[in-house]
Amino acid sequence: MRALVVDIADSTRKKLCSFLRERGYDVVTADTGRDGMLLAQDSAPMVAFVAQQLPDMDAEQLIPPLTNLGVDTRVMVMSDAVELNRAVHAMKHGAEYYFAKPLDFGHVAMILDGVEALQRSNRETAHSRRMDRRKSIRTPTIGESTQIIKVQRLVKLLAQNRTTPVLIMGESGSGKELVARSIHESSGVSGPLVEINCASLSESLLESELFGHEKGSFTDAKVLKKGLFEIAAGGTIFFDELGEMPLAIQAKLLKVLDTNLFRRVGGTIDIRSDARFMAATNRDLPQLVREGKFREDLYYRINVLPITLPSLRERGGDILLLADYYVRLLGESMGRSYMRLNSPVEELLCAYGWPGNVRELRNVIERALILAGSGPIAPEHLPADIRALHVIENKGTSDTGKLLPLRQVEEEHIKRVLCATGNNHSRTASILGMSRSTLLARLKKLSPLS
Ligand SMILES: Nc1ncnc2c1ncn2[C@@H]1O[C@H](COP(=O)(O)OP(=O)(O)OP(=O)(O)O)[C@@H](O)[C@H]1O
Ligand SMILES: [Mg+2]
């Protein structure tokens, strides 16, 4: 859960911050309306506390951009003196509640209890509605790193251009299938998404799966069978592990892409296909082309606007964002109350290389939640190869084994956490267990050295 506090008054900001953090919120703060707005776009808070009077605007001006973030943000306005007509005015503009200063935290807690319960139930209704429709996106593409934002932009573009072939490349577990589904689901097509794993079938079975067969076309063909190209009419046909497709089928596939026509096995008439082509692979296709294992003409035909998914280790701050997402999601399904990850665990997650990408992270969090029972996740709940990083990272010696001065160890550590969070100051400060302003002061001191 994230929260935003916008107030020029230092003491209100500090007190609210520590109150909200204790409740499990990740808090970002600003002292002007403009900064608040920018931070909100980055962090998409669930609740925002906004002072009535800000240096550059009134709370009423800030409410609409906050409530339009698309994440059900609730805005609380705080004022030095409660004036009834200002309160009514603020609520009319979409404020959830109007508090008088100094804040009575018992009262704030009560209001937040209600807001959180409402948001939870809204989320659950939205979730079950999504599950009902089955066709809509089940998992959002979580991430704020520049690499994943670029991916999200391409997803949008490809959803709008429904005839362009889609090629998704990336390491195992990096989210290729998730991206394929989200392009299909956001393109508003009426037909289904049908998926075929090219590695799982022999050449002849793959051919009859794709194109179907006429009755009697071979010994086992007792009845007419429709192929996936026909089933995917008006929708998408998704070739997973495309790099494993046999060359003979590649040639047939290219023909369908070029002509939009195909024939059932044993058939004599051409059938028109309007299914959109999508494919994913974790293989290096240009390399397969060089080795003669993938047709060059097919590669160029589908490589129009390829999406290359970044590995998780390249995504910096997304590691913690995804970890928190899974703590919440999987924890909820286990009936656990939400507890944010503590700094030693976050540090280990950031230091690890994640060869199995998001899938591995999800598994690690699930395992840790089970081992932790109802308590917080601790380093000993992580797999041994992640835990081992603790010893290596904290040795306090240089590469040559020389003992280092504390200041240098500290500097390197701050830089490492900054890097892992993608330069996010609030998150870095929270991992390091210091306030954002202390971190900024430290960075100022460090900069002449770095
Ligand atoms: N950005 C993301 N946000 C949320 N969940 C993600 C994200 N990327 C991947 N996941 C999750 O990680 C898991 C693996 O993703 P997916 O199956 O799409 O990977 P893949 O690239 O197709 O893997 P493989 O190459 O092994 O088939 C899924 O549970 C998926 O929901
Ligand atoms: Mg996959």
Side-chain angles (χ1 to χ4, degrees):
M1 291 187 294
R2 283 186 264 195
L4 167 72
V5 176
V6 192
D7 198 334
I8 185 94
D10 241 322
S11 67
T12 313
R13 267 205 323 268
K14 277 193 189 133
K15 280 187 208 147
L16 242 181
C17 248
S18 60
F19 165 80
L20 289 167
R21 285 206 173 110
E22 266 194 39
R23 254 186 109 86
Y25 282 93
D26 250 344
V27 192
V28 287
T29 64
D31 48 19
T32 63
R34 194 180 158 274
D35 283 355
M37 223 181 282
L38 290 175
L39 275 178
Q41 275 156 14
D42 266 332
S43 65
M46 298 306 285
V47 288
F49 286 82
V50 177
Q52 169 77 67
Q53 208 72 60
L54 292 165
D56 53 348
M57 61 181 80
D58 283 344
E60 285 86 351
Q61 287 168 273
L62 191 50
I63 297 169
L66 292 180
T67 49
N68 286 327
L69 291 167
V71 290
D72 194 18
T73 308
R74 306 299 169 110
V75 184
M76 321 282 175
V77 177
M78 309 174 287
S79 167
D80 285 323
V82 173
E83 301 159 42
L84 191 59
N85 45 6
R86 289 299 296 260
V88 172
H89 194 58
M91 311 273 261
K92 262 196 185 150
H93 275 77
E96 180 78 20
Y97 207 81
Y98 197 87
F99 289 105
K101 284 188 191 176
L103 294 175
D104 168 357
F105 284 102
H107 187 193
V108 177
M110 205 178 76
I111 299 298
L112 274 181
D113 284 344
V115 164
E116 287 163 7
L118 202 66
Q119 285 175 330
R120 242 191 329 270
S121 106
N122 283 350
R123 268 200 306 276
E124 272 158 20
T125 333
H127 181 68
S128 51
R129 208 180 301 136
R130 276 203 300 272
M131 296 302 273
D132 282 1
R133 277 170 48 210
R134 277 184 63 215
K135 277 198 335 194
S136 57
I137 301 167
R138 267 158 289 176
T139 314
T141 316
I142 308 283
E144 289 174 354
S145 59
T146 43
Q147 295 96 318
I148 212 72
I149 287 171
K150 202 173 137 202
V151 168
Q152 284 161 353
R153 228 179 274 137
L154 276 173
V155 165
K156 218 167 155 190
L157 206 62
L158 284 163
Q160 287 159 0
N161 293 276
R162 294 182 198 169
T163 50
T164 313
V166 175
L167 173 62
I168 307 162
M169 292 176 283
E171 290 179 12
S172 174
S174 58
K176 297 183 293 296
E177 186 174 334
L178 183 71
V179 163
R181 286 187 186 281
S182 69
I183 296 175
H184 169 79
E185 283 157 11
S186 44
S187 62
V189 290
S190 55
L193 171 78
V194 300
E195 186 183 334
I196 173 111
N197 188 316
C198 305
S200 64
L201 297 172
S202 67
E203 188 176 316
S204 58
L205 275 179
L206 188 58
E207 181 173 10
S208 92
E209 271 299 305
L210 289 179
F211 307 114
H213 56 70
E214 300 289 343
K215 187 176 166 185
S217 55
F218 52 92
T219 336
D220 286 338
K222 305 261 186 295
V223 287
L224 179 148
K225 183 185 158 188
K226 277 190 182 181
L228 295 181
F229 271 105
E230 277 180 88
I231 296 171
T236 305
I237 180 161
F238 173 47
F239 295 88
D240 207 358
E241 303 201 39
L242 180 75
E244 316 303 322
M245 182 181 270
L247 280 164
I249 307 283
Q250 289 178 28
K252 295 192 167 149
L253 177 61
L254 180 65
K255 202 159 151 244
V256 185
L257 285 173
D258 282 340
T259 60
N260 289 328
L261 296 173
F262 67 94
R263 270 183 200 183
R264 294 192 192 119
V265 176
T268 47
I269 47 161
D270 286 332
I271 302 173
R272 186 160 289 281
S273 158
D274 63 354
R276 183 192 199 163
F277 171 91
M278 278 192 205
T281 181
N282 56 14
R283 303 284 298 270
D284 179 354
L285 282 189
Q287 178 60 28
L288 291 181
V289 169
R290 280 192 294 276
E291 290 170 9
K293 292 179 183 149
F294 199 85
R295 289 184 68 110
E296 190 172 17
D297 45 10
L298 177 59
Y299 175 62
Y300 287 124
R301 182 71 182 81
I302 61 179
N303 192 33
V304 183
L305 216 54
I307 297 186
T308 304
L309 283 177
S311 64
L312 185 55
R313 64 192 163 279
E314 292 170 85
R315 290 173 54 183
D318 285 354
I319 296 175
L320 293 185
L321 214 61
L322 278 157
D324 186 65
Y325 168 75
Y326 283 125
V327 167
R328 201 184 302 275
L329 183 84
L330 303 172
E332 228 169 72
S333 70
M334 294 177 194
R336 253 178 73 109
S337 53
Y338 171 72
M339 266 173 272
R340 54 169 299 166
L341 292 169
N342 56 37
S343 316
V345 171
E346 289 195 327
E347 272 185 50
L348 288 172
L349 296 182
C350 284
Y352 184 60
W354 300 109
N357 295 295
V358 188
R359 180 181 295 114
E360 184 182 12
L361 175 68
R362 183 193 161 110
N363 292 346
V364 164
I365 298 290
E366 184 166 10
R367 174 183 184 275
L369 284 170
I370 294 168
L371 292 177
S374 57
I377 294 178
E380 66 261 29
H381 301 132
L382 300 176
D385 47 346
I386 302 185
R387 237 168 33 226
L389 297 167
H390 193 58
V391 186
I392 304 163
E393 296 286 334
N394 288 334
K395 60 187 178 180
T397 52
S398 69
D399 291 342
T400 55
K402 197 177 129 217
L403 287 169
L404 299 173
L406 186 59
R407 202 180 53 153
Q408 195 176 336
V409 176
E410 188 180 284
E411 173 179 343
E412 280 170 13
H413 184 61
I414 293 179
K415 281 189 195 157
R416 201 167 57 228
V417 180
L418 265 176
C419 169
T421 61
N423 260 332
N424 182 324
H425 288 159
S426 315
R427 212 164 256 280
T428 303
S430 130
I431 292 175
L432 294 172
M434 54 174 71
S435 71
R436 194 167 172 275
S437 50
T438 313
L439 172 68
L440 292 178
R442 257 339 137 85
L443 288 177
K444 239 184 218 160
K445 261 203 249 161
L446 291 184
S447 47
L449 292 172
S450 36

